[in-house]
């Protein structure tokens, strides 16, 4: 006897004239195809977007000696540019008064106010920088430190469009221009180092931060203390690592197979149930049920 490989066929065909189309069958078929299409398109759009996973580690992502670049963009609507400067101090003994490099002062409010844009670097130790009139030779009568912050950023600028939930510029649009004129403003800033690895292997080092704020009227022995806007910072030992990942193609294939197969199976069960029920109903109507 000759061996017939067709015996391995698990998809045996029923001759066409032994099958019959039904209306419910057609309805179920069309619905399941629409359903498959919908699931397939949702799954495809999910596959085409990459995901960003994040993890926490206790490490320093860059060398300890590395410094953190800072960018600050702040408007003081009631203080002339000529009086303003930035002072930087830290626990490593740094004390710079009236930092001016890479700083732009733009007159606003018809010369009565000033916007400061400044880039500088800080060491990775606790410290502070403050915007004040300390470095000015002549002091204004009433240094009004009310201000409006546009940006305080640590580390690189994480480009727009990256789907990262984080706290990279929480001080944006903080408006203290309605505060007391002679008050000192304190921002206590906790800096969190972050690493962002994109799909192409580029690595960036942005820093996130949180802050708390306090406004105080300071008095010294000889009367009022010259007010300032203080940013006192501290680094967190925890690093947040963001990694962009593409979803693997095989999981997409698996999902598509599951969608197609699963839908047809469920639809088939549904169809045969309806068909059987209809047959029983017909028989019952004819009184042939025994
Ligand atoms: C600083 O903020 C002002 C106000 O939002 C903006 O017009 C200006 O372009 C900013 N400067 C930089 C360098 O981003």
């Amino acid at each position: 006897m000759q061996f017939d490989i067709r015996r391995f066929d698990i998809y045996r065909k029923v001759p066409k004239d032994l099958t019959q189309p039904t209306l419910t069958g057609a309805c179920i078929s069309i619905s399941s195809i629409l359903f498959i299409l919908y699931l397939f398109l949702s799954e495809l759009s999910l596959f085409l977007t990459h995901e960003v996973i994040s993890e926490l580690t206790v490490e320093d992502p860059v060398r300890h000696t590395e410094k953190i670049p800072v960018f600050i963009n702040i408007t003081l609507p009631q203080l002339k540019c000529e009086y303003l400067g930035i002072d930087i101090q830290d626990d490593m003994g740094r004390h710079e008064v009236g930092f001016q490099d890479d700083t732009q002062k733009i007159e606003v409010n018809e010369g009565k106010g000033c916007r400061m844009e400044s880039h500088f670097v800080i060491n990775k130790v606790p410290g502070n920088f403050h915007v004040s009139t300390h470095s000015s030779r002549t002091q204004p009568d009433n240094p009004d430190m009310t201000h409006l912050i546009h940006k305080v950023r640590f580390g690189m600028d994480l480009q727009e469009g990256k789907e990262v939930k984080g706290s990279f510029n929480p001080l944006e649009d903080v408006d203290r221009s309605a505060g007391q004129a002679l008050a000192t403003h304190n921002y206590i800033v906790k800096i969190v180092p972050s690493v962002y690895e994109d799909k192409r292997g580029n690595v960036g080092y942005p820093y996130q931060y949180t802050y708390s704020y306090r406004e105080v009227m300071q008095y010294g022995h000889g009367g009022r203390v010259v007010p300032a806007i203080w940013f006192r910072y501290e680094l967190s030992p925890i690093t947040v690592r963001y990694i962009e990942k593409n979803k693997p193609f095989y999981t997409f294939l698996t999902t598509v197979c599951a969608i197609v197969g699963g839908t047809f199976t469920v639809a088939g069960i549904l169809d045969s149930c309806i068909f059987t029920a209809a047959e029983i109903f017909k028989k019952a109507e004819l009184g042939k049920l025994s």
Side-chain angles (χ1 to χ4, degrees):
M1 212 176 78
Q2 226 200 343
F3 177 72
D4 189 356
I5 197 160
R6 285 182 297 182
R7 280 164 61 187
F8 285 114
D9 187 1
I10 52 173
Y11 304 105
R12 307 252 172 147
K13 314 296 176 300
V14 184
K16 230 189 180 129
D17 45 349
L18 287 181
T19 63
Q20 77 185 76
T22 60
L23 189 63
T24 42
C27 290
I28 290 176
S29 304
I30 292 170
S31 327
S32 38
I33 284 172
L34 291 178
F35 186 66
I36 287 173
L37 213 62
Y38 163 71
L39 285 186
F40 175 77
L41 291 179
S42 321
E43 199 56 44
L44 186 69
S45 75
L46 201 68
F47 172 67
L48 291 178
T49 57
H50 58 77
E51 62 183 337
V52 178
I53 56 169
S54 59
E55 56 188 40
L56 297 178
T57 54
V58 180
E59 63 163 342
D60 194 355
V62 282
R63 275 178 294 122
H64 292 281
T65 50
E66 211 78 43
K67 292 172 196 272
I68 303 174
V70 182
F71 173 64
I72 160 167
N73 186 357
I74 182 171
T75 298
L76 289 87
Q78 306 296 340
L79 201 60
K80 287 196 168 106
C81 281
E82 55 183 288
Y83 297 121
L84 275 179
I86 291 184
D87 307 336
I88 308 164
Q89 276 173 299
D90 69 28
D91 284 3
M92 262 162 131
R94 178 178 183 189
H95 192 172
E96 258 177 76
V97 178
F99 174 88
Q100 294 289 353
D101 314 333
D102 218 344
T103 298
Q104 272 172 30
K105 298 199 254 184
I106 300 125
E107 287 190 350
V108 294
N109 202 7
E110 289 150 4
K112 282 194 296 227
C114 189
R115 188 173 87 229
M116 257 185 124
E117 300 175 358
S118 188
H119 289 271
F120 52 92
V121 292
I122 54 174
N123 295 312
K124 298 174 102 178
V125 292
N128 74 73
F129 52 90
H130 52 279
V131 176
S132 72
T133 59
H134 298 170
S135 60
S136 170
R137 251 184 230 123
T138 56
Q139 290 294 317
D141 294 334
N142 289 310
D144 183 338
M145 284 293 163
T146 56
H147 60 277
L148 175 63
I149 297 177
H150 310 297
K151 197 166 235 184
V152 173
R153 186 186 76 221
F154 297 91
M156 67 165 290
D157 199 359
L158 201 62
Q159 286 132 8
E160 302 281 317
K162 296 228 196 290
E163 306 111 44
V164 181
K165 290 195 185 63
S167 178
F168 295 96
N169 186 22
L171 279 169
E172 180 165 21
D173 296 332
V174 165
D175 189 352
R176 308 277 179 210
S177 54
Q180 291 192 64
L182 299 175
T184 284
H185 304 266
N186 284 298
Y187 292 95
I188 318 293
V189 177
K190 292 245 188 280
I191 303 177
V192 183
S194 312
V195 181
Y196 193 94
E197 288 172 29
D198 74 7
K199 282 182 290 186
R200 270 164 263 116
N202 303 324
V203 184
Y205 301 99
Y207 289 81
Q208 307 185 55
Y209 62 94
T210 59
Y211 73 95
S212 52
Y213 170 77
R214 214 159 75 95
E215 181 180 314
V216 285
M217 295 298 279
Q218 279 185 323
Y219 296 96
H221 292 298
R224 206 168 38 74
V225 172
V226 183
I229 305 165
W230 292 81
F231 294 89
R232 300 171 200 276
Y233 57 84
E234 219 173 63
L235 274 123
S236 144
I238 306 280
T239 293
V240 186
R241 191 177 278 278
Y242 294 100
I243 303 155
E244 265 182 19
K245 275 232 168 94
N246 272 332
K247 294 185 197 74
F249 186 60
Y250 72 87
T251 59
F252 174 65
L253 276 187
T254 317
T255 318
V256 169
C257 289
I259 290 172
V260 175
T263 310
F264 275 133
T265 308
V266 173
I269 293 170
L270 207 66
D271 181 57
S272 66
C273 286
I274 293 176
F275 185 74
T276 315
E279 292 288 283
I280 293 174
F281 187 69
K282 257 189 236 162
K283 275 188 190 163
E285 260 192 338
L286 294 175
K288 281 192 197 157
L289 209 60
S290 56

